[in-house]
């Protein structure tokens, strides 16, 4: 089946132009009603309803998550399944300071524009609503539940400081540390106590003592979650929470070992007992080169200047990293703020509903839809993307579906994954 992809893209642009007002209304509505992880009822219902009205076949609550959905546009002929992902959760206290309203609305716009374009194509496009990116790992839960089993490739857009397609993200995990000591009167009988707070402090000091020996991409950052109850009582219990991240999982494991050594040293030096619990974080993102190239061309086509990430690029973590470990995927970025503003700030939240944020919704919808069009019109591109993924897996750069699932089962069983 010969598809005239340039004509298809022209119809996509026209469709997004026609959808301008409803797409921005949705973006602003989600922005004005921030919902925390797994509680995104209003946003997911609105997105699912609009996709259904636009002609997509919607299944709500997929993967056992009430605020997840999957909206499918069938091309009318057998072929691959592409997934465009939508996030819509917000942050405590500062609302849409990560701009997920833009992610949601650009994915919505792409799905609706592809439906309006009226183009027949081999395969399916699924807009998947993925809850709880901010700490809940919604994409991990959906992938484990099989929601990505039939997906051949996946991509999404995240607002940021610049237009990028090849930016990665950090592998992460979280550690809860609890030290158990012994209470005593802090003035009257301090010699009878064991100070759990000092063990927490020693842990921070120990980690800081290792920082010069850590790679530049290492991120070991913690907070003290409990430091005692009264100043005249030697703290019998103190706790801290750490996030440990690095560009790849192997080095992330070495950093976890360094933290463990510091915590054990804190226990030994104070006489407190250490309780250690690690919970799964997110895997690092490995962008698929072919899909990234297609997205870069479409980003340029909407008038944006694609920049390459710096060698020492600063970045966070995302559950899209896990998706990139199981299938060809790209987590692209679209600029809404200058370089001086980071996400997870009040300034970024303001930008997410500003004219720059609105432009990202509309450009994003066009770019995502055009990327789907390219990949569906030329089966050679997807074959190339899959070949690259197989090479990445052979080189140990990505886990592959089976290894990724097995690692998840080990985490669930409480094993320390080395
Ligand atoms: Zn985000």
């Amino acid at each position: 089946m010969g598809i005239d992809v340039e004509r298809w893209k022209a119809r996509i642009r026209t469709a997004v132009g026609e959808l301008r007002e409803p797409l921005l209304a949705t973006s602003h509505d989600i922005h004005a009603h921030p919902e925390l992880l797994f509680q995104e009822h209003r946003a997911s219902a609105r997105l699912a309803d609009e996709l259904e009205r636009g002609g997509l076949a919607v299944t709500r609550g997929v993967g056992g998550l009430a605020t997840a959905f999957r909206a499918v546009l069938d091309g009318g002929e057998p072929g691959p399944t592409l997934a465009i992902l939508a996030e819509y959760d917000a942050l405590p206290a500062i609302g849409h300071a990560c701009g997920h309203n833009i992610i949601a609305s650009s994915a919505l716009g792409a799905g609706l524009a592809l439906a309006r374009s009226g183009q027949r194509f081999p395969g399916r496009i699924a807009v998947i609503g993925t809850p709880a990116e901010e700490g809940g790992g919604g994409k991990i839960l959906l992938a484990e539940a099989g929601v990505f089993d039939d997906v051949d490739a996946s991509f999404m857009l995240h607002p940021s400081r610049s237009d990028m397609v090849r930016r990665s993200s950090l592998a992460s995990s979280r550690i809860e540390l609890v030290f158990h000591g012994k209470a005593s009167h802090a003035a009257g009988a301090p010699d009878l106590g064991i100070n759990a707070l000092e063990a927490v402090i020693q842990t921070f000091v120990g980690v800081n003592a290792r920082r010069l020996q850590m790679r530049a991409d290492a991120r070991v950052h913690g907070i003290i979650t409990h430091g005692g109850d009264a100043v005249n009582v030697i703290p019998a219990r103190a706790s801290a929470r750490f996030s440990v991240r690095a560009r790849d999982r192997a080095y992330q494991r070495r950093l976890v070992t360094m933290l463990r050594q510091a915590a054990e040293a804190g226990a030994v030096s104070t006489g407190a007992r250490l309780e250690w619990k690690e919970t799964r974080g997110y895997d690092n993102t490995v962008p698929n080169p072919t899909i990234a190239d297609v997205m870069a061309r479409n980003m340029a086509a909407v008038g944006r200047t694609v920049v390459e990430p710096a060698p020492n690029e600063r970045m966070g973590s995302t559950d899209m990293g896990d998706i990139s470990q199981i299938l060809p995927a790209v987590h692209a970025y679209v600029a809404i703020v200058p370089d001086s503003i980071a996400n997870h700030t009040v300034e970024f939240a303001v930008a997410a509903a500003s004219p720059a944020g609105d432009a990202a919704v509309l450009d994003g919808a066009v770019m995502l839809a055009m990327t789907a069009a390219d990949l569906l019109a030329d089966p050679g591109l997807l074959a190339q993307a899959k070949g690259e993924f197989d090479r990445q897996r052979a080189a140990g750069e990505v886990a592959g579906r089976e290894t990724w699932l097995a690692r998840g089962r080990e985490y669930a069983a409480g094993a320390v994954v080395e």
Side-chain angles (χ1 to χ4, degrees):
M1 158 189 214
I3 294 176
D4 183 341
V5 74
E6 292 312 318
R7 279 189 56 196
W8 190 5
K9 288 181 175 183
R11 291 203 298 276
I12 286 167
R13 281 180 189 266
T14 303
V16 173
E18 291 163 359
L19 291 163
R20 180 192 161 89
E21 293 204 354
L23 290 178
L24 297 184
T26 297
S27 178
H28 294 169
D29 183 70
I30 294 174
H31 187 271
H33 300 91
E35 297 168 302
L36 299 183
L37 69 171
F38 299 119
Q39 304 301 316
E40 316 94 330
H41 297 285
R42 180 187 177 111
S44 65
R46 179 166 181 147
L47 295 163
D49 289 351
E50 289 186 34
L51 287 160
E52 202 164 53
R53 276 200 297 276
L56 285 83
V58 176
T59 311
R60 294 168 176 80
V62 290
L65 299 185
T67 55
F69 64 83
R70 193 176 144 123
V72 175
L73 177 66
D74 199 300
E77 305 192 7
T81 299
L82 301 182
I84 299 172
L85 305 192
E87 297 172 5
Y88 30 80
D89 60 327
L91 290 155
I94 48 176
H96 275 289
C98 206
H100 292 186
N101 59 302
I102 293 171
I103 304 178
S105 307
S106 59
L108 168 69
L112 294 178
L114 285 160
R116 273 191 181 221
S117 74
Q119 176 71 48
R120 281 177 68 85
F121 57 86
R124 294 179 294 174
I125 294 156
V127 178
I128 303 181
T130 64
E133 191 279 331
E134 298 289 358
K139 294 181 195 62
I140 295 172
L141 299 171
L142 294 179
E144 288 184 336
V147 173
F148 286 87
D149 279 3
D150 65 339
V151 174
D152 292 277
S154 179
F155 44 92
M156 60 174 287
L157 267 187
H158 195 297
S160 182
R161 292 170 287 195
S162 48
D163 298 305
M164 283 184 284
V165 294
R166 266 174 281 271
R167 190 170 186 238
S168 182
S169 68
L170 302 178
S172 69
S173 68
R174 286 205 177 168
I175 287 106
E176 301 282 336
L177 295 173
V178 183
F179 288 98
H180 300 276
K182 188 167 178 290
S184 187
H185 195 294
D191 52 304
L192 300 179
I194 296 174
N195 195 324
L197 174 61
E198 292 294 349
V200 167
I201 293 169
Q202 287 305 311
T203 303
F204 277 82
V205 170
V207 167
N208 289 339
R210 298 289 286 273
R211 288 207 192 271
L212 189 61
Q213 280 69 54
M214 292 179 190
R215 248 166 46 180
D217 58 306
R219 294 287 186 274
V220 184
H221 47 103
I223 57 171
I224 296 177
T225 48
H226 186 75
D229 297 301
V231 74
N232 57 0
V233 179
I234 299 289
R237 186 181 160 279
S239 60
R241 178 177 302 145
F242 277 87
S243 177
V244 179
R245 319 193 204 203
R247 270 181 181 269
D248 58 76
R249 186 58 79 187
Y251 191 63
Q252 194 268 346
R253 302 314 310 161
R254 288 181 55 192
L255 294 172
V256 170
T257 300
M258 289 189 208
L259 173 62
R260 173 122 200 170
Q261 289 167 340
E264 284 173 354
V268 168
S269 67
T270 59
R273 180 172 62 82
L274 168 64
E275 186 186 331
W276 168 281
K277 184 169 182 290
E278 180 171 11
T279 51
R280 178 182 197 158
Y282 296 159
D283 273 341
N284 53 303
T285 300
V286 181
N288 181 269
T290 294
I291 299 173
D293 285 347
V294 172
M295 284 191 94
R297 281 200 295 276
N298 290 318
M299 205 176 254
V302 299
R304 290 179 177 262
T305 305
V306 182
V307 298
E308 292 300 322
N312 60 346
E313 182 75 23
R314 296 129 73 211
M315 49 203 184
S317 306
T318 168
D319 56 6
M320 187 56 164
D322 289 81
I323 300 302
S324 81
Q325 298 285 327
I326 61 173
L327 51 89
V330 167
H331 186 267
Y333 294 87
V334 59
I336 67 162
V337 289
D339 235 11
S340 55
I341 297 177
N343 55 342
H344 294 201
T345 62
V346 173
E347 292 83 355
F348 200 92
V350 171
S354 71
D358 292 349
V361 170
L362 301 173
D363 286 353
V366 173
M367 270 182 53
L368 290 167
M370 293 202 305
T371 299
D374 279 327
L375 293 172
L376 291 164
D378 179 358
L381 289 172
L382 206 51
Q384 191 175 311
K386 288 183 170 186
E388 287 160 348
F389 184 82
D390 289 341
R391 277 194 295 280
Q392 287 169 334
R393 187 174 49 196
E397 293 166 23
V398 297
R401 198 181 297 256
E402 292 314 313
T403 302
W404 181 86
L405 285 169
R407 215 159 59 199
R409 286 191 293 270
E410 286 179 47
Y411 268 114
V416 174
V417 181
E418 295 295 350

